[in-house]
Amino acid sequence: VFFTFSLGTRVHYFGRTILHGGAKYRATGRGFVVRHEKFAENYRLYSRSHFVKGLELMVLLICYKIYGSAASGAVSYALLSFSMWFLVLSWLFAPFLLNPSGFEWQKIVEDWEDWSKWISCRGGIGVPSVKSWESWWEEEQEHLRHTGFIGRLFEIILSIRFFIYQYGIVYHLNMTTSSRQGIRLSIVVYGLSWLVIGAVLIILKIVSMGRMKFSADFQLMFRLLKLLLFIGCIVTIAMLFYFLNLTVGDIFQSILAFMPTGWALLQISQACRTLVKGIGMWGSVKALARGYEYMMGVLLFAPIAILAWFPFVSEFQTRLLFNQAFSRGLQIQRILAGSKKQA
């Protein structure tokens, strides 16, 4: 697991250096440690190099199960995709599996509070990345500020794969396949999907402007604005159900299609930062990026928190990482710490 994870570090920084330059030493792992690293620290270190790529591969594996024809049964699918699922799980959860006390409930609560505070904190001049998500997000785009035109162009070209993927999902929607018009209707639905994405960006812009103008002095107006936007979304979905034969399965598939597309728009916006700032949409891009980071954090944190409910998981991890004598000493330390708190 550790070897597979360290390969992900090499792949990410080799690829970034080839595209944008700026080669320097990158640690592919760390030595033997007994100190617990917080969830926010692991997220800052491995978000772009491992977590994003792991989630992308996971979405592709889910789509392969839904739409693929080579693996018709569960057994054949498991045999064909086992190695890829091992790669995905290693890239997503290796830092937490190899993190001492990573499944202790008290540590989990402290990590969540620390991560929530970090991601909600606004950045600014002099605010370090360990204190604010905005500062860290700006640092993660540092390579794009020093790259040339070719590097930015390749970033945009690589992001186009998400748009091709989006069309593939839209083509398989029930509202498309149930019609005799076939490809023509799928193109129309694909165009409508871009209207939905544009509407989401406009809504984000309206909410951000409303927060700046109304949130401080006119709380009621700001809440009414959000209520009207929510009602508008519900009415739009209801109309799609009625007029275009939208199904619940289509909604799930649309989420699979739109989530990567939104990420592609983020990558393109970061590559064209000057242009996006010029048209006044950088605040919406930042709000969308924060939403994606929050969703990724929840997806990663939820399985860890669920496993932390079971005491034997933490015990198993301690025995896995350390020898028996150290594990026994660690257990005695916990007992002594508990008795001191009770006293």
Side-chain angles (χ1 to χ4, degrees):
V1 170
F2 179 81
F3 175 75
T4 305
F5 187 83
S6 63
L7 282 181
T9 308
R10 293 188 179 97
V11 167
H12 175 73
Y13 287 108
F14 267 117
R16 177 175 288 186
T17 304
I18 290 171
L19 287 177
H20 308 291
K24 64 179 181 179
Y25 172 75
R26 298 285 186 178
T28 57
R30 61 186 186 186
F32 182 79
V33 295
V34 295
R35 180 171 57 89
H36 174 79
E37 289 288 351
K38 292 185 177 181
F39 178 82
E41 178 65 18
N42 282 323
Y43 189 88
R44 286 190 292 268
L45 287 174
Y46 308 120
S47 173
R48 295 299 180 266
S49 59
H50 294 81
F51 299 155
V52 170
K53 295 177 175 60
L55 288 172
E56 181 181 346
L57 288 173
M58 185 178 70
V59 170
L60 290 176
L61 287 171
I62 293 173
C63 291
Y64 179 64
K65 175 59 180 174
I66 297 174
Y67 305 111
S69 58
S72 56
V75 176
S76 58
Y77 173 78
L79 292 174
L80 285 172
S81 61
F82 168 76
S83 59
M84 293 301 298
W85 275 111
F86 178 79
L87 176 67
V88 168
L89 294 176
S90 297
W91 281 5
L92 292 180
F93 298 108
F96 312 110
L97 177 65
L98 303 175
N99 189 19
S101 304
F103 295 96
E104 288 187 23
W105 183 251
Q106 186 59 37
K107 296 286 187 183
I108 292 292
V109 174
E110 294 174 359
D111 286 356
W112 176 255
E113 292 176 352
D114 176 74
W115 186 78
S116 300
K117 182 180 179 181
W118 171 75
I119 200 171
S120 60
C121 181
R122 293 185 176 275
I125 299 175
V127 181
S129 59
V130 296
K131 297 293 184 181
S132 169
W133 169 82
E134 287 188 10
S135 300
W136 170 82
W137 188 63
E138 293 288 344
E139 286 185 4
E140 286 297 317
Q141 303 173 44
E142 191 70 26
H143 62 284
L144 294 174
R145 299 178 186 176
H146 305 291
T147 189
F149 174 77
I150 300 298
R152 295 177 185 272
L153 180 62
F154 269 106
E155 284 287 335
I156 296 172
I157 293 174
L158 289 174
S159 299
I160 292 176
R161 71 187 189 273
F162 294 106
F163 301 148
I164 301 173
Y165 159 85
Q166 177 192 351
Y167 176 75
I169 300 296
V170 170
Y171 184 78
H172 286 85
L173 291 177
N174 180 71
M175 67 173 68
T176 303
T177 56
S178 62
S179 175
R180 296 180 179 179
Q181 296 180 1
I183 297 177
R184 183 181 300 177
L185 183 60
S186 67
I187 295 174
V188 173
V189 175
Y190 183 67
L192 289 175
S193 67
W194 275 104
L195 289 178
V196 172
I197 294 172
V200 170
L201 293 177
I202 293 173
I203 289 172
L204 286 173
K205 184 67 176 178
I206 293 173
V207 170
S208 63
M209 292 176 61
R211 183 180 289 109
M212 293 173 59
K213 292 185 177 181
F214 301 132
S215 60
D217 301 322
F218 302 97
Q219 285 285 340
L220 181 59
M221 290 290 296
F222 184 58
R223 292 181 180 180
L224 286 175
L225 175 64
K226 292 194 291 185
L227 177 62
L228 289 174
L229 292 174
F230 176 75
I231 294 174
C233 293
I234 296 298
V235 171
T236 302
I237 293 175
M239 292 174 65
L240 290 175
F241 270 103
Y242 184 78
F243 292 107
L244 294 178
N245 299 322
L246 187 72
T247 64
V248 177
D250 286 343
I251 294 178
F252 175 74
Q253 295 175 66
S254 298
I255 292 173
L256 284 178
F258 291 155
M259 296 302 289
T261 302
W263 184 257
L265 292 175
L266 281 176
Q267 301 305 304
I268 295 174
S269 298
Q270 292 171 14
C272 306
R273 178 170 181 157
T274 305
L275 177 62
V276 175
K277 279 190 172 182
I279 61 177
M281 290 297 294
W282 188 248
S284 300
V285 170
K286 187 179 294 185
L288 185 62
R290 191 192 298 271
Y292 268 90
E293 302 286 357
Y294 199 88
M295 284 188 291
M296 284 194 294
V298 170
L299 287 174
L300 291 169
F301 199 85
I304 302 170
I306 292 172
L307 290 175
W309 286 344
F310 305 99
F312 65 86
V313 175
S314 179
E315 179 72 20
F316 173 76
Q317 185 201 27
T318 303
R319 292 183 178 274
L320 180 69
L321 296 180
F322 308 112
N323 59 44
Q324 190 173 2
F326 185 87
S327 301
R328 190 182 301 113
L330 189 61
Q331 295 295 335
I332 293 173
Q333 248 184 349
R334 292 173 184 167
I335 295 173
L336 293 176
S339 63
K340 287 180 181 178
K341 288 182 180 179
Q342 291 178 0

